[in-house]
């Protein structure tokens, strides 16, 4: 039987869209290049909105071992400043989350092609979307969802990343006292050229995830060991957290080219772009997964309501723009030397600012288009 929709990329956004469509009896083919979910560079913080969307998709994060995160700390200097988060939050490794999402897609009737990579996506003269795979297979459908995250696909190049960001993730087993101290908190750490976060995840371990601009990495000879040492020098709180910690991966996993602030302007008929293909929010907000789920939900609703892909993409852009610009503004502040100079003052007001920023950089319920509401409910 002819597929109705091809979904390229089986991460958060692609799985969410395929589950929603599969449950409605639509004929969906999801193509994911990894044979099994792998570790991804991600802080693994799940905001309140992300938790709601995951719950609606049938993903029980508590049963999967998610750790409650009621507090956030800013650790640019000693002592760190703590504030309660203004929404429920949890943390869960991407490997666990992505595994559960793919399983849910399969049980929703989605035809899942795993370990197969889409090499190109083109439109035929008959108006069909045609995906050509690395093994030469070709799949066609009248509609496609592009959900390849930050990876580009031939014909759909990535937006620019002028700051040339590099991101890393490493798991640690912390020393018992540090582990107890970190429990239930997500800690944001600042240093020149970037920022990082550490938080507990399931299995009694901690995730340290950090970003830095290429030129700062160049300053330490492009070596992550040197960078980590420099970060600990600049941020004694991190040095304290990592003292006696056991690294659990041979080396951090890394990703380059992160076009923070990108929001897709246009698309072609029949091609809905979701997740990081729709928008890439600065990582410190911990909101990328929520946006991926939100954009998937909106795209499904738009598709079911017959809203054209170009109209959907334009509306989504307008809806996400204020949140994105605010997050970028806040991220610039984190990386600004002047802001660092006034940090002692900022720290005094930080808990309040954090609460407000956290609230403002969430995807608001009103951001769903009217047509999406009608179908999504
Ligand atoms: C440093 C950093 C920290 C972050 N921390 C957080 C956080 O704490 N909380 C949070 O909410 N967000 C965070 N994010 C953002 C979050 O990780 C992303 O926004 C989210 O993963 C986007 O989901 P997605 O489905 O668009 O992409 P992904 O989850 O990356 O999925 C894309 C999928 O497409 C597949 N794929 C790619 N190309 C092809 C192809 N050609 N053919 C077939 N399959 C393909 C990939 O294998 C992948 O599985 C962070 C991001 C970074 C960089």
């Amino acid at each position: 039987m002819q597929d109705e929709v091809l979904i390229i990329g089986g991460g958060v956004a692609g799985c969410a869209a395929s589950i929603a469509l599969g449950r409605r009896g639509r004929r969906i083919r999801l193509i994911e290049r990894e044979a099994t979910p792998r570790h991804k560079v991600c802080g693994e913080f799940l905001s309140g909105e992300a938790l709601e969307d995951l719950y609606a998709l049938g993903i029980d994060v508590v049963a999967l071992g998610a750790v409650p995160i009621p507090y956030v700390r800013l650790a640019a200097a000693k002592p760190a400043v703590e504030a309660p988060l203004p929404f429920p939050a949890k943390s869960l490794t991407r490997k666990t989350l992505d595994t559960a999402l793919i399983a849910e897609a399969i049980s929703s009737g989605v035809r899942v092609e795993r370990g197969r990579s889409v090499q190109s996506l083109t439109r035929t003269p008959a108006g069909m979307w045609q995906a050509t795979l690395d093994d030469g297979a070709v799949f066609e459908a009248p509609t496609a969802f592009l959900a390849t995250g930050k990876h580009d696909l031939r014909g759909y190049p990535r937006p620019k990343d002028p700051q040339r960001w590099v991101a890393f993730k490493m798991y640690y087993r912390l020393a018992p006292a540090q582990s107890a101290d970190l429990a239930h908190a997500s800690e944001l750490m600042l240093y020149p050229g970037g920022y990082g976060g550490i938080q507990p995840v399931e299995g009694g371990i901690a995730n340290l995830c950090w970003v830095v601009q290429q030129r700062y990495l160049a300053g330490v000879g492009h070596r992550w060991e040197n960078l980590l040492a420099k970060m600990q020098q600049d941020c004694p709180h991190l040095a304290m957290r990592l003292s006696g910690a056991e690294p659990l991966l041979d080396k951090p996993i890394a990703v380059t080219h992160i076009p923070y602030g990108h929001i897709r302007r246009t698309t072609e008929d029949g091609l809905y772009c979701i997740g990081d293909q729709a928008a890439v929010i600065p990582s410190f907000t911990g909101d990328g997964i929520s946006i991926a789920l939100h954009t998937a939900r909106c795209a499904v609703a738009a598709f079911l309501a017959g809203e054209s892909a170009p109209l959907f993409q334009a509306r989504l852009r307008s809806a996400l723009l204020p949140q994105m610009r605010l997050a970028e503004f806040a991220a610039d502040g984190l990386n600004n030397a002047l802001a660092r100079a006034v940090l002692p003052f900022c720290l005094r007001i930080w808990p309040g600012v954090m609460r407000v920023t956290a609230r403002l950089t969430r995807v608001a319920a009103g951001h769903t288009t009217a047509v999406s509401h009608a179908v999504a409910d």
Side-chain angles (χ1 to χ4, degrees), residues 9 11-13 31-34 40-45 94 117-118 147-149 151 153 167 209 211 275-276 283 286-289 292:
V12 176
I31 307 161
E32 164 55 44
R33 69 179 181 182
E34 302 293 346
K40 281 182 179 154
V41 178
C42 183
E44 304 180 328
F45 173 87
R94 287 300 303 273
S117 177
V118 174
T148 50
H151 308 278
L153 198 58
C209 187
V211 294
D276 281 352
S283 301
D287 221 12
I289 293 173

PDB file of all heavy atoms in Angstrom, residues 9 11-13 31-34 40-45 94 117-118 147-149 151 153 167 209 211 275-276 283 286-289 292, ligand 1:
ATOM      1  N   GLY A   9      13.953  10.784   9.744  1.00  0.00           N
ATOM      2  CA  GLY A   9      14.577  11.051  11.034  1.00  0.00           C
ATOM      3  C   GLY A   9      13.700  10.550  12.169  1.00  0.00           C
ATOM      4  O   GLY A   9      12.580  11.021  12.350  1.00  0.00           O
ATOM      5  N   GLY A  11      14.197  10.740  15.565  1.00  0.00           N
ATOM      6  CA  GLY A  11      14.515  11.283  16.886  1.00  0.00           C
ATOM      7  C   GLY A  11      13.215  11.706  17.558  1.00  0.00           C
ATOM      8  O   GLY A  11      12.145  11.139  17.291  1.00  0.00           O
ATOM      9  N   VAL A  12      13.299  12.721  18.403  1.00  0.00           N
ATOM     10  CA  VAL A  12      12.118  13.142  19.167  1.00  0.00           C
ATOM     11  C   VAL A  12      10.994  13.599  18.237  1.00  0.00           C
ATOM     12  O   VAL A  12       9.850  13.119  18.324  1.00  0.00           O
ATOM     13  CB  VAL A  12      12.499  14.301  20.123  1.00  0.00           C
ATOM     14  CG1 VAL A  12      11.269  14.815  20.844  1.00  0.00           C
ATOM     15  CG2 VAL A  12      13.540  13.841  21.122  1.00  0.00           C
ATOM     16  N   ALA A  13      11.303  14.530  17.326  1.00  0.00           N
ATOM     17  CA  ALA A  13      10.253  15.124  16.488  1.00  0.00           C
ATOM     18  C   ALA A  13       9.670  14.079  15.534  1.00  0.00           C
ATOM     19  O   ALA A  13       8.439  13.955  15.411  1.00  0.00           O
ATOM     20  CB  ALA A  13      10.816  16.311  15.710  1.00  0.00           C
ATOM     21  N   ILE A  31      11.919   6.744   8.569  1.00  0.00           N
ATOM     22  CA  ILE A  31      13.254   6.260   8.186  1.00  0.00           C
ATOM     23  C   ILE A  31      14.290   6.874   9.127  1.00  0.00           C
ATOM     24  O   ILE A  31      14.408   8.103   9.225  1.00  0.00           O
ATOM     25  CB  ILE A  31      13.574   6.624   6.720  1.00  0.00           C
ATOM     26  CG1 ILE A  31      12.441   6.146   5.807  1.00  0.00           C
ATOM     27  CG2 ILE A  31      14.906   5.991   6.290  1.00  0.00           C
ATOM     28  CD1 ILE A  31      12.402   6.806   4.453  1.00  0.00           C
ATOM     29  N   GLU A  32      14.994   6.010   9.855  1.00  0.00           N
ATOM     30  CA  GLU A  32      15.985   6.455  10.847  1.00  0.00           C
ATOM     31  C   GLU A  32      17.322   5.789  10.533  1.00  0.00           C
ATOM     32  O   GLU A  32      17.391   4.577  10.403  1.00  0.00           O
ATOM     33  CB  GLU A  32      15.507   6.089  12.262  1.00  0.00           C
ATOM     34  CG  GLU A  32      16.560   6.142  13.341  1.00  0.00           C
ATOM     35  CD  GLU A  32      17.297   7.479  13.454  1.00  0.00           C
ATOM     36  OE1 GLU A  32      16.638   8.530  13.396  1.00  0.00           O
ATOM     37  OE2 GLU A  32      18.536   7.457  13.572  1.00  0.00           O
ATOM     38  N   ARG A  33      18.358   6.606  10.451  1.00  0.00           N
ATOM     39  CA  ARG A  33      19.631   6.048   9.978  1.00  0.00           C
ATOM     40  C   ARG A  33      20.356   5.172  11.002  1.00  0.00           C
ATOM     41  O   ARG A  33      21.173   4.336  10.636  1.00  0.00           O
ATOM     42  CB  ARG A  33      20.550   7.160   9.491  1.00  0.00           C
ATOM     43  CG  ARG A  33      21.073   8.052  10.556  1.00  0.00           C
ATOM     44  CD  ARG A  33      21.982   9.074   9.930  1.00  0.00           C
ATOM     45  NE  ARG A  33      22.522   9.950  10.943  1.00  0.00           N
ATOM     46  CZ  ARG A  33      23.318  10.954  10.691  1.00  0.00           C
ATOM     47  NH1 ARG A  33      23.650  11.233   9.456  1.00  0.00           N
ATOM     48  NH2 ARG A  33      23.772  11.699  11.660  1.00  0.00           N
ATOM     49  N   GLU A  34      20.064   5.353  12.300  1.00  0.00           N
ATOM     50  CA  GLU A  34      20.720   4.501  13.299  1.00  0.00           C
ATOM     51  C   GLU A  34      19.924   3.204  13.471  1.00  0.00           C
ATOM     52  O   GLU A  34      18.704   3.239  13.571  1.00  0.00           O
ATOM     53  CB  GLU A  34      20.793   5.199  14.658  1.00  0.00           C
ATOM     54  CG  GLU A  34      21.520   6.531  14.667  1.00  0.00           C
ATOM     55  CD  GLU A  34      23.011   6.389  14.376  1.00  0.00           C
ATOM     56  OE1 GLU A  34      23.530   5.256  14.435  1.00  0.00           O
ATOM     57  OE2 GLU A  34      23.634   7.410  14.077  1.00  0.00           O
ATOM     58  N   LYS A  40      23.208  10.800  22.392  1.00  0.00           N
ATOM     59  CA  LYS A  40      23.211  12.036  21.603  1.00  0.00           C
ATOM     60  C   LYS A  40      23.701  13.161  22.484  1.00  0.00           C
ATOM     61  O   LYS A  40      23.456  13.132  23.702  1.00  0.00           O
ATOM     62  CB  LYS A  40      21.794  12.371  21.131  1.00  0.00           C
ATOM     63  CG  LYS A  40      21.348  11.559  19.939  1.00  0.00           C
ATOM     64  CD  LYS A  40      19.965  11.948  19.473  1.00  0.00           C
ATOM     65  CE  LYS A  40      19.587  11.117  18.242  1.00  0.00           C
ATOM     66  NZ  LYS A  40      18.167  10.948  18.078  1.00  0.00           N
ATOM     67  N   VAL A  41      24.328  14.153  21.888  1.00  0.00           N
ATOM     68  CA  VAL A  41      24.758  15.311  22.673  1.00  0.00           C
ATOM     69  C   VAL A  41      23.510  16.089  23.072  1.00  0.00           C
ATOM     70  O   VAL A  41      22.814  16.649  22.217  1.00  0.00           O
ATOM     71  CB  VAL A  41      25.717  16.219  21.870  1.00  0.00           C
ATOM     72  CG1 VAL A  41      26.095  17.431  22.707  1.00  0.00           C
ATOM     73  CG2 VAL A  41      26.952  15.445  21.462  1.00  0.00           C
ATOM     74  N   CYS A  42      23.200  16.076  24.359  1.00  0.00           N
ATOM     75  CA  CYS A  42      21.976  16.705  24.856  1.00  0.00           C
ATOM     76  C   CYS A  42      22.103  16.785  26.374  1.00  0.00           C
ATOM     77  O   CYS A  42      22.656  15.874  27.006  1.00  0.00           O
ATOM     78  CB  CYS A  42      20.761  15.847  24.475  1.00  0.00           C
ATOM     79  SG  CYS A  42      19.176  16.560  24.962  1.00  0.00           S
ATOM     80  N   GLY A  43      21.594  17.871  26.963  1.00  0.00           N
ATOM     81  CA  GLY A  43      21.622  18.007  28.419  1.00  0.00           C
ATOM     82  C   GLY A  43      20.649  17.057  29.104  1.00  0.00           C
ATOM     83  O   GLY A  43      20.715  16.834  30.298  1.00  0.00           O
ATOM     84  N   GLU A  44      19.650  16.561  28.330  1.00  0.00           N
ATOM     85  CA  GLU A  44      18.694  15.551  28.790  1.00  0.00           C
ATOM     86  C   GLU A  44      17.755  16.064  29.876  1.00  0.00           C
ATOM     87  O   GLU A  44      17.268  15.321  30.719  1.00  0.00           O
ATOM     88  CB  GLU A  44      19.451  14.264  29.191  1.00  0.00           C
ATOM     89  CG  GLU A  44      20.287  13.791  28.000  1.00  0.00           C
ATOM     90  CD  GLU A  44      21.099  12.536  28.209  1.00  0.00           C
ATOM     91  OE1 GLU A  44      21.551  12.305  29.345  1.00  0.00           O
ATOM     92  OE2 GLU A  44      21.291  11.789  27.234  1.00  0.00           O
ATOM     93  N   PHE A  45      17.517  17.365  29.829  1.00  0.00           N
ATOM     94  CA  PHE A  45      16.570  18.017  30.731  1.00  0.00           C
ATOM     95  C   PHE A  45      15.217  18.021  30.036  1.00  0.00           C
ATOM     96  O   PHE A  45      15.117  18.422  28.870  1.00  0.00           O
ATOM     97  CB  PHE A  45      17.060  19.448  30.979  1.00  0.00           C
ATOM     98  CG  PHE A  45      16.120  20.312  31.762  1.00  0.00           C
ATOM     99  CD1 PHE A  45      16.163  20.326  33.155  1.00  0.00           C
ATOM    100  CD2 PHE A  45      15.211  21.143  31.116  1.00  0.00           C
ATOM    101  CE1 PHE A  45      15.310  21.136  33.874  1.00  0.00           C
ATOM    102  CE2 PHE A  45      14.354  21.964  31.839  1.00  0.00           C
ATOM    103  CZ  PHE A  45      14.406  21.959  33.221  1.00  0.00           C
ATOM    104  N   ARG A  94      18.888  10.378  26.577  1.00  0.00           N
ATOM    105  CA  ARG A  94      18.288  10.328  25.241  1.00  0.00           C
ATOM    106  C   ARG A  94      18.205   8.898  24.723  1.00  0.00           C
ATOM    107  O   ARG A  94      17.284   8.559  23.982  1.00  0.00           O
ATOM    108  CB  ARG A  94      19.092  11.209  24.272  1.00  0.00           C
ATOM    109  CG  ARG A  94      18.896  12.687  24.485  1.00  0.00           C
ATOM    110  CD  ARG A  94      17.447  13.090  24.308  1.00  0.00           C
ATOM    111  NE  ARG A  94      16.945  12.712  22.994  1.00  0.00           N
ATOM    112  CZ  ARG A  94      17.061  13.482  21.925  1.00  0.00           C
ATOM    113  NH1 ARG A  94      17.632  14.666  22.024  1.00  0.00           N
ATOM    114  NH2 ARG A  94      16.591  13.092  20.755  1.00  0.00           N
ATOM    115  N   SER A 117      19.689   5.139   5.833  1.00  0.00           N
ATOM    116  CA  SER A 117      19.851   6.586   5.799  1.00  0.00           C
ATOM    117  C   SER A 117      19.294   7.163   4.499  1.00  0.00           C
ATOM    118  O   SER A 117      19.513   6.600   3.424  1.00  0.00           O
ATOM    119  CB  SER A 117      21.356   6.883   5.910  1.00  0.00           C
ATOM    120  OG  SER A 117      21.580   8.233   5.813  1.00  0.00           O
ATOM    121  N   VAL A 118      18.568   8.255   4.610  1.00  0.00           N
ATOM    122  CA  VAL A 118      18.061   8.918   3.396  1.00  0.00           C
ATOM    123  C   VAL A 118      19.193   9.766   2.811  1.00  0.00           C
ATOM    124  O   VAL A 118      19.773  10.602   3.498  1.00  0.00           O
ATOM    125  CB  VAL A 118      16.832   9.799   3.732  1.00  0.00           C
ATOM    126  CG1 VAL A 118      16.390  10.597   2.513  1.00  0.00           C
ATOM    127  CG2 VAL A 118      15.693   8.933   4.245  1.00  0.00           C
ATOM    128  N   ALA A 147      12.707  15.622   9.637  1.00  0.00           N
ATOM    129  CA  ALA A 147      12.979  15.614  11.086  1.00  0.00           C
ATOM    130  C   ALA A 147      14.378  15.082  11.344  1.00  0.00           C
ATOM    131  O   ALA A 147      14.590  14.277  12.257  1.00  0.00           O
ATOM    132  CB  ALA A 147      11.923  14.761  11.794  1.00  0.00           C
ATOM    133  N   THR A 148      15.342  15.550  10.552  1.00  0.00           N
ATOM    134  CA  THR A 148      16.709  15.018  10.656  1.00  0.00           C
ATOM    135  C   THR A 148      17.541  15.751  11.696  1.00  0.00           C
ATOM    136  O   THR A 148      18.768  15.608  11.722  1.00  0.00           O
ATOM    137  CB  THR A 148      17.412  15.071   9.283  1.00  0.00           C
ATOM    138  OG1 THR A 148      17.246  16.397   8.752  1.00  0.00           O
ATOM    139  CG2 THR A 148      16.838  14.074   8.314  1.00  0.00           C
ATOM    140  N   GLY A 149      16.910  16.533  12.562  1.00  0.00           N
ATOM    141  CA  GLY A 149      17.654  17.223  13.617  1.00  0.00           C
ATOM    142  C   GLY A 149      18.614  18.241  13.010  1.00  0.00           C
ATOM    143  O   GLY A 149      18.243  18.969  12.096  1.00  0.00           O
ATOM    144  N   HIS A 151      21.190  17.479  11.340  1.00  0.00           N
ATOM    145  CA  HIS A 151      21.897  16.904  10.185  1.00  0.00           C
ATOM    146  C   HIS A 151      21.268  17.400   8.900  1.00  0.00           C
ATOM    147  O   HIS A 151      20.056  17.486   8.785  1.00  0.00           O
ATOM    148  CB  HIS A 151      21.810  15.377  10.228  1.00  0.00           C
ATOM    149  CG  HIS A 151      22.243  14.831  11.534  1.00  0.00           C
ATOM    150  ND1 HIS A 151      23.558  14.628  11.854  1.00  0.00           N
ATOM    151  CD2 HIS A 151      21.535  14.484  12.634  1.00  0.00           C
ATOM    152  CE1 HIS A 151      23.642  14.176  13.093  1.00  0.00           C
ATOM    153  NE2 HIS A 151      22.420  14.084  13.587  1.00  0.00           N
ATOM    154  N   LEU A 153      20.486  17.280   4.760  1.00  0.00           N
ATOM    155  CA  LEU A 153      20.142  16.287   3.760  1.00  0.00           C
ATOM    156  C   LEU A 153      20.453  16.956   2.432  1.00  0.00           C
ATOM    157  O   LEU A 153      20.249  18.168   2.307  1.00  0.00           O
ATOM    158  CB  LEU A 153      18.628  16.018   3.888  1.00  0.00           C
ATOM    159  CG  LEU A 153      18.072  14.768   3.280  1.00  0.00           C
ATOM    160  CD1 LEU A 153      18.738  13.534   3.851  1.00  0.00           C
ATOM    161  CD2 LEU A 153      16.570  14.696   3.579  1.00  0.00           C
ATOM    162  N   ALA A 167      29.685  21.204  20.707  1.00  0.00           N
ATOM    163  CA  ALA A 167      29.051  20.743  21.955  1.00  0.00           C
ATOM    164  C   ALA A 167      29.561  19.355  22.312  1.00  0.00           C
ATOM    165  O   ALA A 167      29.884  18.548  21.432  1.00  0.00           O
ATOM    166  CB  ALA A 167      27.535  20.709  21.779  1.00  0.00           C
ATOM    167  N   CYS A 209      27.146  18.305  30.038  1.00  0.00           N
ATOM    168  CA  CYS A 209      26.995  18.660  28.631  1.00  0.00           C
ATOM    169  C   CYS A 209      27.424  20.113  28.486  1.00  0.00           C
ATOM    170  O   CYS A 209      26.996  20.960  29.277  1.00  0.00           O
ATOM    171  CB  CYS A 209      25.524  18.467  28.257  1.00  0.00           C
ATOM    172  SG  CYS A 209      25.206  18.657  26.516  1.00  0.00           S
ATOM    173  N   VAL A 211      28.884  23.543  25.781  1.00  0.00           N
ATOM    174  CA  VAL A 211      29.105  24.109  24.451  1.00  0.00           C
ATOM    175  C   VAL A 211      30.191  25.168  24.536  1.00  0.00           C
ATOM    176  O   VAL A 211      30.352  25.829  25.571  1.00  0.00           O
ATOM    177  CB  VAL A 211      27.820  24.744  23.844  1.00  0.00           C
ATOM    178  CG1 VAL A 211      26.766  23.710  23.562  1.00  0.00           C
ATOM    179  CG2 VAL A 211      27.262  25.844  24.713  1.00  0.00           C
ATOM    180  N   GLY A 275      11.040  19.852  14.566  1.00  0.00           N
ATOM    181  CA  GLY A 275      12.208  19.681  15.443  1.00  0.00           C
ATOM    182  C   GLY A 275      13.274  20.711  15.109  1.00  0.00           C
ATOM    183  O   GLY A 275      12.967  21.853  14.759  1.00  0.00           O
ATOM    184  N   ASP A 276      14.535  20.292  15.219  1.00  0.00           N
ATOM    185  CA  ASP A 276      15.641  21.217  14.936  1.00  0.00           C
ATOM    186  C   ASP A 276      15.634  21.675  13.484  1.00  0.00           C
ATOM    187  O   ASP A 276      16.273  22.668  13.151  1.00  0.00           O
ATOM    188  CB  ASP A 276      16.980  20.551  15.261  1.00  0.00           C
ATOM    189  CG  ASP A 276      17.289  20.571  16.756  1.00  0.00           C
ATOM    190  OD1 ASP A 276      16.541  21.221  17.518  1.00  0.00           O
ATOM    191  OD2 ASP A 276      18.278  19.938  17.161  1.00  0.00           O
ATOM    192  N   SER A 283      20.861  26.106  23.876  1.00  0.00           N
ATOM    193  CA  SER A 283      20.725  24.895  24.696  1.00  0.00           C
ATOM    194  C   SER A 283      20.454  25.168  26.164  1.00  0.00           C
ATOM    195  O   SER A 283      19.824  24.355  26.834  1.00  0.00           O
ATOM    196  CB  SER A 283      22.001  24.056  24.600  1.00  0.00           C
ATOM    197  OG  SER A 283      22.246  23.706  23.277  1.00  0.00           O
ATOM    198  N   GLY A 286      17.149  24.460  27.835  1.00  0.00           N
ATOM    199  CA  GLY A 286      16.651  23.094  28.049  1.00  0.00           C
ATOM    200  C   GLY A 286      15.290  22.898  27.418  1.00  0.00           C
ATOM    201  O   GLY A 286      14.445  22.166  27.927  1.00  0.00           O
ATOM    202  N   ASP A 287      15.073  23.528  26.278  1.00  0.00           N
ATOM    203  CA  ASP A 287      13.738  23.540  25.684  1.00  0.00           C
ATOM    204  C   ASP A 287      13.674  22.903  24.295  1.00  0.00           C
ATOM    205  O   ASP A 287      12.618  22.880  23.681  1.00  0.00           O
ATOM    206  CB  ASP A 287      13.265  24.990  25.591  1.00  0.00           C
ATOM    207  CG  ASP A 287      11.806  25.138  25.953  1.00  0.00           C
ATOM    208  OD1 ASP A 287      11.230  24.174  26.494  1.00  0.00           O
ATOM    209  OD2 ASP A 287      11.247  26.206  25.685  1.00  0.00           O
ATOM    210  N   GLY A 288      14.809  22.405  23.788  1.00  0.00           N
ATOM    211  CA  GLY A 288      14.834  21.863  22.425  1.00  0.00           C
ATOM    212  C   GLY A 288      13.908  20.667  22.239  1.00  0.00           C
ATOM    213  O   GLY A 288      13.221  20.556  21.216  1.00  0.00           O
ATOM    214  N   ILE A 289      13.860  19.789  23.232  1.00  0.00           N
ATOM    215  CA  ILE A 289      13.002  18.599  23.116  1.00  0.00           C
ATOM    216  C   ILE A 289      11.536  19.036  23.122  1.00  0.00           C
ATOM    217  O   ILE A 289      10.714  18.538  22.350  1.00  0.00           O
ATOM    218  CB  ILE A 289      13.294  17.604  24.262  1.00  0.00           C
ATOM    219  CG1 ILE A 289      14.712  17.043  24.095  1.00  0.00           C
ATOM    220  CG2 ILE A 289      12.266  16.487  24.313  1.00  0.00           C
ATOM    221  CD1 ILE A 289      15.199  16.178  25.251  1.00  0.00           C
ATOM    222  N   ALA A 292      10.774  20.364  19.793  1.00  0.00           N
ATOM    223  CA  ALA A 292      10.669  19.264  18.819  1.00  0.00           C
ATOM    224  C   ALA A 292       9.283  18.604  18.919  1.00  0.00           C
ATOM    225  O   ALA A 292       8.627  18.355  17.906  1.00  0.00           O
ATOM    226  CB  ALA A 292      11.768  18.236  19.075  1.00  0.00           C
TER     227      ALA A 292
HETATM  228  C1  LIG B   1      24.600  20.881  23.735  1.00  0.00           C
HETATM  229  C2  LIG B   1      23.115  20.645  23.643  1.00  0.00           C
HETATM  230  C3  LIG B   1      22.390  20.437  24.799  1.00  0.00           C
HETATM  231  C4  LIG B   1      21.004  20.269  24.734  1.00  0.00           C
HETATM  232  N1  LIG B   1      20.317  20.050  25.884  1.00  0.00           N
HETATM  233  C5  LIG B   1      18.982  19.936  25.850  1.00  0.00           C
HETATM  234  C6  LIG B   1      18.256  19.704  27.031  1.00  0.00           C
HETATM  235  O1  LIG B   1      18.814  19.549  28.117  1.00  0.00           O
HETATM  236  N2  LIG B   1      16.889  19.639  26.948  1.00  0.00           N
HETATM  237  C7  LIG B   1      16.250  19.800  25.767  1.00  0.00           C
HETATM  238  O2  LIG B   1      15.008  19.806  25.756  1.00  0.00           O
HETATM  239  N3  LIG B   1      16.912  19.981  24.607  1.00  0.00           N
HETATM  240  C8  LIG B   1      18.267  20.038  24.612  1.00  0.00           C
HETATM  241  N4  LIG B   1      18.955  20.171  23.449  1.00  0.00           N
HETATM  242  C9  LIG B   1      18.226  20.238  22.189  1.00  0.00           C
HETATM  243  C10 LIG B   1      17.682  18.867  21.743  1.00  0.00           C
HETATM  244  O3  LIG B   1      18.672  17.883  21.851  1.00  0.00           O
HETATM  245  C11 LIG B   1      17.193  18.956  20.292  1.00  0.00           C
HETATM  246  O4  LIG B   1      16.490  20.155  20.100  1.00  0.00           O
HETATM  247  C12 LIG B   1      16.282  17.768  19.936  1.00  0.00           C
HETATM  248  O5  LIG B   1      17.008  16.571  20.003  1.00  0.00           O
HETATM  249  C13 LIG B   1      15.738  17.948  18.535  1.00  0.00           C
HETATM  250  O6  LIG B   1      15.003  16.806  18.190  1.00  0.00           O
HETATM  251  P1  LIG B   1      14.934  16.359  16.643  1.00  0.00           P
HETATM  252  O7  LIG B   1      13.979  15.244  16.591  1.00  0.00           O
HETATM  253  O8  LIG B   1      14.739  17.549  15.780  1.00  0.00           O
HETATM  254  O9  LIG B   1      16.415  15.849  16.323  1.00  0.00           O
HETATM  255  P2  LIG B   1      17.147  14.534  16.846  1.00  0.00           P
HETATM  256  O10 LIG B   1      16.625  14.104  18.150  1.00  0.00           O
HETATM  257  O11 LIG B   1      18.600  14.844  16.713  1.00  0.00           O
HETATM  258  O12 LIG B   1      16.754  13.428  15.805  1.00  0.00           O
HETATM  259  C14 LIG B   1      17.118  13.483  14.448  1.00  0.00           C
HETATM  260  C15 LIG B   1      17.192  12.044  13.950  1.00  0.00           C
HETATM  261  O13 LIG B   1      17.337  12.051  12.527  1.00  0.00           O
HETATM  262  C16 LIG B   1      18.206  11.003  12.178  1.00  0.00           C
HETATM  263  N5  LIG B   1      18.751  11.322  10.848  1.00  0.00           N
HETATM  264  C17 LIG B   1      19.557  12.357  10.531  1.00  0.00           C
HETATM  265  N6  LIG B   1      19.824  12.359   9.231  1.00  0.00           N
HETATM  266  C18 LIG B   1      19.163  11.290   8.704  1.00  0.00           C
HETATM  267  C19 LIG B   1      19.048  10.761   7.388  1.00  0.00           C
HETATM  268  N7  LIG B   1      19.674  11.327   6.361  1.00  0.00           N
HETATM  269  N8  LIG B   1      18.282   9.651   7.189  1.00  0.00           N
HETATM  270  C20 LIG B   1      17.645   9.065   8.239  1.00  0.00           C
HETATM  271  N9  LIG B   1      17.721   9.539   9.505  1.00  0.00           N
HETATM  272  C21 LIG B   1      18.474  10.642   9.733  1.00  0.00           C
HETATM  273  C22 LIG B   1      19.250  10.987  13.278  1.00  0.00           C
HETATM  274  O14 LIG B   1      19.917   9.746  13.370  1.00  0.00           O
HETATM  275  C23 LIG B   1      18.403  11.303  14.505  1.00  0.00           C
HETATM  276  O15 LIG B   1      17.966  10.140  15.186  1.00  0.00           O
HETATM  277  C24 LIG B   1      20.342  20.317  23.481  1.00  0.00           C
HETATM  278  C25 LIG B   1      21.085  20.490  22.314  1.00  0.00           C
HETATM  279  C26 LIG B   1      22.464  20.645  22.381  1.00  0.00           C
HETATM  280  C27 LIG B   1      23.250  20.839  21.131  1.00  0.00           C
END
